[in-house]
Amino acid sequence: MKLTEKVSKNQYYKIWFKDAWPYITGAVLLSLFQIITFATTGNPWGVSGTLAYWGAWLYELLGGSVEKWYYFSRAGVNATLRNGFLSDPGSMRNLGLIAGALFSVLIASGFKFKKIKSWKQVIAAVCGGLLMGYGARIAAGCNIGAFFSGISSLSLSGWVYAVFLFLGAMVGSKLLVKYFM
Amino acid sequence: MSEEVKSSGIQRSARRSKRKKRKSQIMKGVLVFLIIVVIGVLLGRISAKLGFFWVTGNAFGFILQKSRFCFTAAMRDPYLTGGTNLTKAVLLAFAMTSLAFFAIKYGAHLKGMPIPGQGFIAPISLATAVGAFMFGIGMVISGGCASGTLMRVGEGFSMQILSLVFFVIGSLLGAYNLGWWKVNFIARGKAIFLPDLFGWIGAIIMQLLIIVLLWIAADKWAQRKEIKTE
Amino acid sequence: MKEVELDCMGEACPIPLVKAQKKLETMDGGDILLVLIDHSCAMKNLPEWARKAGHNVEIEELDDGEWEVVIEKVV
């Protein structure tokens, strides 16, 4: 493994792959890909809408039916639902995101599988996940779809979302320090 | 800003945490890269759109991880730790994307074409407020929002795998109840596209002005916190 | 001058930073705090905060995805 040793000492490897980039670099590049996404597909980036489809597909695997629900009966949503997981671009983007992050940590030689440490973490993950999933559906999106893409799209809803997101984060911080630390 | 690993200049006792003999993971990284490319090619053969979404997903994941970008921390840290570096970076992203989105949308408007992406102009109602508030609590206690959770799944956090599972379940519950929210609140809410309110030029100026003011506030907030802790 | 170890392995953001902030408050100038972390985001925000607060900071990579952040408190 002489080659990897050589690579890990290379200064450009260090700057581009090993060390963390400045937040500003992240902001500029994320914006760039957000703009590319919008210019190419006509829609900005979204993450959590896809997770609702994942829920529906799993529910159908277990024998349930979402066909009569208002949410999934809308034309566009229903079409995506019927076309299935492997034909859904949003699902590929979400999986792609996981793969991109995995590549990023491995190439920096920083991957470690982190086990759940305590029951506190289990409760935090379960409650946090449920709150986010439910909240994102009724508020029409997550930090990406409703907040980042909403504000980028010059929608007042993005700013309203931001205000209540911030209030929620304050309450969440209090809960975190009190119960989950 | 980069965190390089330096030899110790700080005087400390001889007792040190054990250092394990490390195996480089770079080759595994290269392997994952090749798999990503193969999947991209296969998806691209099915449809260009699938391939495109896969690749942009890869890019988002890589950028988020590499810069440790975190929308959760941007909203949480000003209150919790007093740090606003991420908040300012998010505001910069908002300014850049606002300008570009404005250009694309205004361009379509001038050409008399339908304005793209108007589906993201969501109606404002109690559901927006309650949903965002719930989301804010959830992302802080579980340590990551939707994009952050996916990114951390890739990083190997089992806690975030669990929270992703419950995010999916929560989404399903939210979708199940959406009819009720729609009838009682969302249907009465109004979707407001800022250019309809202030005119095209007025809207972008207003929006950038607000972003700049928030940026200054974030900067001052961090300074104020620093003085307090000193 | 004392050395205190804070094991934050397996802890997610922002817990390592908040714990380190609290711990440092109880320490004196010249004391050293060793924070063990395996959360890559904390590896960035913890040293950034500590440097901004005026402390001396060094980072050691212990293993793949494991770091030790050494903070010398400066009053």
Side-chain angles (χ1 to χ4, degrees):
Chain A
M1 284 292 133
K2 276 274 181 288
L3 181 69
T4 52
E5 257 174 52
K6 240 184 184 169
V7 168
S8 47
K9 284 190 182 114
N10 181 288
Q11 55 168 325
Y12 298 108
Y13 165 77
K14 276 190 182 160
I15 297 172
W16 291 331
F17 295 110
K18 181 74 191 171
D19 296 337
W21 296 348
Y23 293 136
I24 300 295
T25 311
V28 171
L29 290 175
L30 283 177
S31 301
L32 184 67
F33 275 90
Q34 165 76 301
I35 295 162
I36 289 172
T37 300
F38 182 47
T40 315
T41 67
N43 275 313
W45 181 23
V47 176
S48 61
T50 301
L51 300 180
Y53 292 118
W54 291 8
W57 288 321
L58 288 173
Y59 186 58
E60 286 185 337
L61 274 182
L62 297 172
S65 168
V66 298
E67 210 58 41
K68 291 206 178 84
W69 299 6
Y70 162 73
Y71 183 88
F72 290 106
S73 66
R74 293 172 299 171
V77 177
N78 196 261
T80 309
L81 184 73
R82 291 283 67 88
N83 288 334
F85 176 72
L86 283 170
S87 306
D88 175 31
S91 294
M92 296 308 121
R93 182 162 57 198
N94 280 2
L95 290 182
L97 200 160
I98 297 175
L102 174 65
F103 163 69
S104 175
V105 264
L106 282 175
I107 206 75
S109 203
F111 184 86
K112 179 193 170 191
F113 185 78
K114 288 136 216 150
K115 285 188 214 120
I116 290 177
K117 203 179 162 187
S118 62
W119 279 104
K120 276 183 189 173
Q121 286 190 336
V122 173
I123 294 164
V126 169
C127 296
L130 287 173
L131 281 168
M132 283 194 286
Y134 194 94
R137 273 319 86 215
I138 65 171
C142 60
N143 274 356
I144 305 300
F147 181 44
F148 189 18
S149 295
I151 288 178
S152 304
S153 300
L154 306 174
S155 171
L156 189 60
S157 62
W159 290 105
V160 173
Y161 191 93
V163 170
F164 287 93
L165 181 69
F166 186 70
L167 294 175
M170 281 170 70
V171 173
S173 300
K174 277 210 184 332
L175 292 172
L176 182 84
V177 172
K178 208 164 172 194
Y179 299 107
F180 299 112
M181 246 178 70
Chain B
M1 276 231 211
S2 67
E3 302 302 349
E4 47 191 310
V5 178
K6 281 176 273 185
S7 63
S8 189
I10 295 176
Q11 295 290 316
R12 45 188 284 212
S13 68
R15 184 184 60 88
R16 296 206 155 196
S17 305
K18 258 187 225 146
R19 282 183 153 213
K20 293 161 203 163
K21 201 164 167 75
R22 303 184 51 209
K23 249 196 206 151
S24 173
Q25 297 173 331
I26 293 175
M27 287 318 287
K28 282 185 197 159
V30 173
L31 186 68
V32 167
F33 183 78
L34 292 176
I35 293 170
I36 284 175
V37 172
V38 169
I39 293 176
V41 170
L42 290 177
L43 287 175
R45 278 188 162 181
I46 301 170
S47 95
K49 197 176 179 186
L50 285 180
F52 178 82
F53 272 69
W54 170 256
V55 172
T56 47
N58 299 149
F60 282 128
F62 184 74
I63 298 163
L64 284 170
Q65 205 286 326
K66 210 76 267 179
S67 57
R68 316 284 190 261
F69 213 83
C70 182
F71 287 90
T72 304
M75 294 309 268
R76 172 199 69 203
D77 286 353
Y79 173 74
L80 190 61
T81 66
T84 57
N85 285 343
L86 258 170
T87 316
K88 288 190 283 185
V90 165
L91 288 168
L92 172 73
F94 284 174
M96 292 174 56
T97 52
S98 298
L99 270 171
F101 277 42
F102 168 80
I104 293 168
K105 284 171 185 271
Y106 190 43
H109 168 76
L110 286 180
K111 283 183 224 149
M113 294 191 315
I115 299 166
Q118 294 304 79
F120 279 67
I121 318 293
I124 300 162
S125 70
L126 187 70
T128 319
V130 173
F133 186 73
M134 287 173 75
F135 198 89
I137 298 174
M139 69 181 187
V140 172
I141 60 175
S142 77
C145 64
S147 62
T149 299
L150 291 176
M151 167 187 110
R152 293 190 179 100
V153 167
E155 274 193 77
F157 286 96
S158 38
M159 180 179 172
Q160 263 78 29
I161 295 175
L162 188 64
S163 90
L164 177 61
V165 170
F166 282 88
F167 196 128
V168 168
I169 295 171
S171 299
L172 197 62
L173 295 174
Y176 179 68
N177 281 348
L178 192 77
W180 183 82
W181 286 97
K182 178 84 181 176
V183 171
N184 290 295
F185 301 102
I186 302 170
R188 289 180 216 159
K190 247 185 118 178
I192 296 172
F193 183 46
L194 291 173
D196 291 339
L197 218 58
F198 304 107
W200 283 93
I201 307 297
I204 189 67
I205 291 173
M206 279 273 290
Q207 171 127 332
L208 290 177
L209 196 68
I210 289 170
I211 292 172
V212 169
L213 289 176
L214 285 172
W215 197 96
I216 293 171
D219 200 54
K220 294 240 187 249
W221 175 254
Q223 286 169 13
R224 193 196 77 109
K225 276 270 178 175
E226 254 169 66
I227 292 161
K228 231 177 91 185
T229 49
E230 262 165 29
Chain C
M1 215 180 78
K2 58 177 180 175
E3 230 174 68
V4 184
E5 195 179 275
L6 190 61
D7 185 359
C8 290
M9 290 288 187
E11 298 281 14
C13 256
I15 292 171
L17 176 54
V18 174
K19 277 192 173 168
Q21 282 180 334
K22 281 193 176 158
K23 196 94 209 169
L24 268 174
E25 268 174 35
T26 67
M27 294 164 62
D28 302 316
D31 289 355
I32 291 168
L33 179 66
L34 309 170
V35 192
L36 299 174
I37 48 175
D38 59 6
H39 194 282
S40 65
C41 300
M43 214 283 273
K44 189 167 161 77
N45 71 18
L46 177 59
E48 267 188 18
W49 167 80
R51 285 200 184 111
K52 231 179 154 189
H55 308 301
N56 295 326
V57 182
E58 266 157 24
I59 302 157
E60 282 200 57
E61 200 172 5
L62 301 176
D63 195 1
D64 294 327
E66 290 182 2
W67 300 272
E68 184 181 55
V69 181
V70 186
I71 304 172
E72 184 185 36
K73 182 164 179 174
V74 175
V75 189

